[in-house]
Amino acid sequence: MPLDAALAVGRYLFLGLLSLFLWQLYQGVMRDLRGAAAPAHRPETLRDPRLVVLRSAGAPAVGTAWLLRTPLRLGRARDNDVIVEDEFTSGHHARLFIEAGKVWVEDLGSTNGTLLNGRPVRGRAALAPGAELCIGDLVLRLEL
């Protein structure tokens, strides 16, 4: 009889864990579906802003482009969105993002600084279409 009781408890425990797994799976799928269905909030003034590489000493290659739909962090560290292979670039050098209908760049305390149209960025600064951003030997242009 103790073996039958242990098997019954094991069955209920298995069914409980299976139910918990299926519930977590359901919640994850529903969260993904809600995120995909919700339109991304994008200001009407910006039409697919992108960064294009004009000059580079290594990677990324000249001509590479990124759409700015989410914030982009640039630097040498492998956990950045854009990995810059350049000795003059800090591990986490700068961040680009959209806020209030404008594209912004924020220097993340880099050693050699971030230049916007040849001028150092202190904190954060707005980029106009055609603006050139310099991070180490990497030169990027904002295009709309």
Side-chain angles (χ1 to χ4, degrees):
M1 194 60 125
L3 181 59
D4 290 338
L7 286 174
V9 169
R11 284 185 194 130
Y12 287 118
L13 183 62
F14 173 75
L15 288 174
L17 289 174
L18 181 61
S19 298
L20 180 64
F21 169 75
L22 291 174
W23 177 250
Q24 292 293 328
L25 182 65
Y26 169 79
Q27 285 183 322
V29 168
M30 293 307 294
R31 185 174 33 251
D32 288 347
L33 288 174
R34 279 192 300 270
H41 180 270
R42 293 188 40 199
E44 291 299 320
T45 57
L46 296 176
R47 300 259 187 245
D48 294 329
R50 63 188 186 134
L51 284 178
V52 179
V53 177
L54 298 180
R55 189 179 75 223
S56 177
V62 172
T64 304
W66 299 270
L67 288 177
L68 287 170
R69 292 192 175 141
T70 60
L72 287 178
R73 190 172 62 181
L74 297 91
R76 274 196 343 252
R78 295 289 170 213
D79 63 342
N80 287 300
D81 302 302
V82 177
I83 300 169
V84 181
E85 294 180 7
D86 176 8
E87 64 184 305
F88 299 108
T89 302
S90 294
H92 296 112
H93 198 101
R95 181 175 77 104
L96 286 116
F97 57 97
I98 297 174
E99 184 178 282
K102 295 180 180 179
V103 176
W104 295 83
V105 62
E106 177 182 24
D107 186 85
L108 299 176
S110 64
T111 303
N112 294 317
T114 301
L115 300 177
L116 175 58
N117 294 325
R119 294 194 167 139
V121 173
R122 303 276 186 246
R124 66 186 215 169
L127 281 74
E132 290 191 6
L133 191 63
C134 184
I135 296 174
D137 284 333
L138 179 68
V139 178
L140 305 160
R141 181 177 52 226
L142 177 65
E143 296 180 352
L144 297 181

